[in-house]
Amino acid sequence: VRTYPDTVFPAWVEDAAAAVRWARDHAAALGGDPARVFVVGHSSGAHTAVLLTRDPRYLRAAGVPTGPDGAVRGAVGLAGPVDTTWTDPDVQALMGPRAGWPATYPATFADTADPPLLLLHGAADRTVRASNAVDFAARVRARGGCARAVVYRGVRHVELVGPLVVPALGNREVLRAVAAFVADPVATACPDAGRQCRVLRRRPRQ
C-alpha cells in the first residue's frame, strides 16, 4: 500500500480497492464466499473502508461489482474520522489540493444506499471524536441508507481495535458486534429503516 509522503489521496484508497479485488478473487480458494466480502478498518483505515463503500468508483475501477448485488456486503468502521473536516496541516497535505477535498469526505457520498455500515467508537476517544460515527450514521439513515452507530463508554481510540488484533485483550462486545453484522448486516444495522440510528453508550464487558 502506498503511503504518505510518497503519495497523496486517493492512492491508498485505490490500493485498498485492489486488495478487495484480490480477496474476492481468492475467497473461494481460502474457504470464503466471493459474493460476501466485508471491509473493516480502524481510524484512517475506517475512513478508507467507509469511503470504499460510499464512493463506488474505486471498487469499480478495480473490477469489483458494486450496488445491491455487489461483492462487498458491508463495511465496519472502528474509530474512524468519517464525518469531519481536515484541520491538521499534515492531514491537509495528505489529502492533496483543497479543491479536491470533497471527494475525501465520506459525508459527500452519504446518499449512497449500499452497502450497510456498522460504525463503532469509544466515548473516551480523544484522537477521533465519537460524534463522527453518530453523525455519519444519522446522515446515511436520513437518506434512506442502512447504518448503525455504537458508542462504548470509557473506551479509547486504540482500545477499540485491540480485540480484533488480540482477542484475549477483551472487549468481547466489539467482536460480537462485528460477528453479528457479518452474519446479517441489514438486520444488525437497520432492523427498522424508519428509525434513527441507535447509539449504545456502554462499556464492553470483559
Side-chain angles (χ1 to χ4, degrees):
V1 177
R2 291 168 287 177
T3 58
Y4 179 80
D6 296 326
T7 191
V8 296
F9 180 88
W12 65 87
V13 185
E14 296 167 346
D15 292 346
V20 172
R21 170 64 187 270
W22 186 95
R24 177 175 178 268
D25 290 349
H26 294 83
L30 297 171
D33 184 349
R36 283 182 53 81
V37 177
F38 289 81
V39 291
V40 182
H42 174 257
S43 196
S44 61
H47 173 269
T48 299
V50 172
L51 193 59
L52 272 180
T53 61
R54 297 302 95 184
D55 184 351
R57 292 177 296 178
Y58 300 105
L59 292 176
R60 288 174 185 166
V64 179
T66 61
D69 298 319
V72 177
R73 310 310 296 172
V76 180
L78 297 98
V82 295
D83 197 288
T84 189
T85 55
W86 312 127
T87 57
D88 187 285
D90 289 342
V91 178
Q92 291 178 345
L94 175 67
M95 295 302 171
R98 185 180 294 267
W101 287 359
T104 72
Y105 294 134
T108 300
F109 311 98
D111 59 350
T112 303
D114 297 298
L117 298 175
L118 176 65
L119 304 175
L120 308 181
H121 223 110
D125 193 329
R126 297 296 178 262
T127 303
V128 179
R129 289 178 297 182
S131 58
N132 276 268
V134 176
D135 293 348
F136 188 72
R139 286 180 189 267
V140 173
R141 293 293 287 265
R143 290 163 174 77
C146 184
R148 181 185 183 197
V150 181
V151 179
Y152 298 104
R153 186 179 69 250
V155 175
R156 293 173 291 187
H157 189 69
V158 176
E159 289 175 333
L160 192 69
V161 75
L164 273 68
V165 179
V166 182
L169 288 178
N171 291 3
R172 296 174 185 173
E173 286 193 15
V174 174
L175 288 173
R176 283 194 286 267
V178 174
F181 179 75
V182 171
D184 194 337
V186 174
T188 302
C190 54
D192 180 354
R195 184 177 61 198
Q196 290 294 319
C197 71
R198 184 161 58 98
V199 183
L200 305 181
R201 298 188 180 275
R202 63 192 184 195
R203 185 175 181 86
R205 292 190 299 271
Q206 300 300 311

